[in-house]
Amino acid sequence: DRSDSPEDEVLFHHRDQEGVIPGDIAEIFVARHGRAQEWALGMHDGRCPFGTIAAVLSLVVLIKMGRAQVQGINTKGMSTGEEILDLYITPLLHVWEEQTRHFFFDLLETRWRIFDMLELIESTYWDAAPPSEALRA
């Protein structure tokens, strides 16, 4: 995207065919660039948060697939994929919504494959607990 930083460009080249970034790379990127307060204070003005969002979604995908876990001393509120989504995604999307008039179209047209990763996350719910009866149309 045209508002990506040089760091975003490097991150972009680590994605797999579904848009997922390896866990170690995503974790470091989120630690460096994922603080919503910095975004809200304008420390990243003009920069698109979709690279950071893709890194967060990658971590959630990997956690939901059982290929990553949150460890450490200060992990309260970050032990599940859902908690990580709440912690990072909503504030970052809110900041971007305030910065652009084309928020919805930016989200739809981004090269970061945000919706593909959301579909991967959604599919883990069906794999983990399939519905007890067939859904009716």
Side-chain angles (χ1 to χ4, degrees), residues 24-46:
D24 57 333
I25 295 168
E27 182 180 9
I28 291 168
F29 195 86
V30 170
R32 290 183 182 158
H33 306 281
R35 294 182 185 97
Q37 185 177 15
E38 289 181 2
W39 288 84
L41 293 173
M43 296 173 73
H44 301 288
D45 269 354

Side-chain angles (χ1 to χ4, degrees), residues 36-126:
Q37 185 177 15
E38 289 181 2
W39 288 84
L41 293 173
M43 296 173 73
H44 301 288
D45 269 354
R47 178 178 173 192
C48 176
F50 294 154
T52 304
I53 289 170
V56 171
L57 289 174
S58 294
L59 289 174
V60 173
V61 166
L62 295 170
I63 288 168
K64 298 301 287 178
M65 295 172 74
R67 295 176 31 203
Q69 60 184 359
V70 178
Q71 296 179 335
I73 297 170
N74 191 15
T75 59
K76 184 175 175 86
M78 296 190 312
S79 61
T80 67
E82 292 82 1
E83 289 175 333
I84 291 173
L85 283 174
D86 288 343
L87 183 64
Y88 289 101
I89 300 298
T90 302
L92 288 171
L93 287 175
H94 182 70
V95 167
W96 187 246
E97 184 179 24
E98 289 178 352
Q99 289 184 12
T100 180
R101 297 178 313 185
H102 307 287
F103 168 77
F104 186 70
F105 294 106
D106 291 344
L107 189 59
L108 287 175
E109 294 179 351
T110 183
R111 65 184 180 153
W112 286 98
R113 301 190 63 182
I114 301 293
F115 285 103
D116 291 338
M117 286 187 281
L118 290 171
E119 285 179 9
L120 284 171
I121 293 167
E122 179 186 26
S123 72
T124 64
Y125 289 101
W126 291 107

